């Protein structure tokens, strides 16, 4: 059975329900391979290929979670935890909230669920990286208790505005939090 998409009706329902009753009305779940075709709101085709590769690393080297509108419903936020990047800790990454549902608390809800997964593995530290210039995300992570702990740099394949592939050279701040 194909996973349901976050269509306009789902988006409107989530917004109204969260504004009325809070993010607790939504469901945290493991992301599944059949969610991938309806996650196009989270990034380019290359991003989705990377998500698919990381899903294959679950459960040994990673967890991959999503927030669904309801049990078995459409994924409206997603993010993973990598257990190889910082040995002895979990690194939360690839976090994305549906563009029409940002600023409602879904990102904070998902990050709390990721931290719970890290804790359940008996690991004491959560890490999260933020790219230079993503000041909104940095402010959010600091508010959630993360402190700058160094810098990272990396590169990955990305698509430019005309759909051509290029190597994106990125750098930013690594933040950590004792759980
Ligand atoms: C960053 C992101 C995951 C946060 O999730 P969210 O559900 O929007 O965040 P919450 O509602 O839990 O928290 C709101 C806070 O997030 C931050 N924020 C970052 N980007 C934001 C956005 N596009 N819209 C609203 N808030 C954003 C702000 O600090 C905001 O606090 P403020 O209202 O005091 O300014 C989400 O906005 C997103 O997917 N952005 C695009 C992709 C991205 O930047 N991912 C993070 C990579 S490190």
């Amino acid at each position: 059975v194909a996973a349901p998409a976050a269509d306009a009706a789902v988006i409107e329902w989530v917004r109204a329900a969260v504004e009325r009753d809070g993010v607790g009305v939504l469901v945290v779940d493991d992301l599944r391979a059949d969610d991938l075709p309806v996650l196009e709101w989270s990034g380019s085709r290359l991003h989705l290929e990377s998500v698919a590769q990381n899903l294959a690393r679950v459960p040994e080297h990673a967890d991959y979670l999503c927030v669904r509108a309801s049990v078995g419903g459409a994924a409206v936020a997603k993010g993973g935890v990598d257990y190889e990047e910082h040995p002895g800790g979990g690194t939360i990454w690839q976090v994305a909230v549906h563009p029409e549902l940002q600023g409602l608390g879904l990102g904070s809800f998902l990050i709390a669920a990721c931290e719970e997964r890290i804790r359940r593995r008996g690991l004491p530290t959560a890490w999260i990286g933020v790219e230079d210039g993503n000041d909104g995300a940095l402010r959010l992570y600091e508010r959630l208790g993360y402190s700058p702990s160094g810098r990272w740099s990396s590169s990955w394949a990305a698509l430019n505005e005309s759909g051509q592939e290029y190597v994106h050279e990125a750098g930013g701040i690594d933040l950590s939090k004792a759980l």
Side-chain angles (χ1 to χ4, degrees):
V1 187
D7 61 18
V10 169
I11 299 290
E12 268 328 293
W13 183 87
V14 170
R15 178 188 306 286
V18 169
E19 283 174 354
R20 191 180 58 238
D21 299 319
V23 288
V25 297
L26 307 177
V27 175
V28 175
D29 193 12
D30 288 289
L31 190 73
R32 296 191 313 255
D34 64 2
D35 290 306
L36 291 171
V38 293
L39 282 187
E40 73 289 338
W41 52 262
S42 75
S44 70
R45 169 176 59 77
L46 295 178
H47 176 70
L48 291 179
E49 283 172 15
S50 161
V51 176
Q53 283 160 10
N54 286 310
L55 259 186
R57 297 172 57 235
V58 175
E60 198 176 354
H61 302 299
D63 283 313
Y64 219 114
L65 305 185
C66 65
V67 176
R68 297 187 191 281
S70 57
V71 175
V76 290
K78 61 96 181 141
V81 186
D82 175 286
Y83 296 103
E84 294 191 302
E85 178 81 18
H86 291 282
T91 305
I92 299 167
W93 92 137
Q94 296 196 336
V95 175
V97 173
H98 191 292
E100 291 176 59
L101 294 170
Q102 293 175 5
L104 293 173
L106 275 66
S108 303
F109 186 50
L110 181 74
I111 289 168
C114 290
E115 291 172 355
E116 185 53 32
R117 292 296 182 97
I118 298 168
R119 248 184 239 112
R120 270 202 242 159
R121 291 188 185 228
L123 300 172
T125 313
W127 293 84
I128 199 161
V130 61
E131 192 168 350
D132 288 333
N134 197 348
D135 295 339
L138 177 62
R139 199 165 60 239
L140 171 63
Y141 303 152
E142 291 190 316
R143 196 162 67 220
L144 294 176
Y146 288 81
S147 309
S149 302
R151 285 194 57 81
W152 59 269
S153 61
S154 182
S155 60
W156 57 81
L159 297 179
N160 67 18
E161 277 161 19
S162 39
Q164 280 163 331
E165 209 171 311
Y166 72 102
V167 177
H168 179 70
E169 303 280 353
I173 302 172
D174 258 338
L175 300 114
S176 67
K177 174 181 176 178
L179 297 177

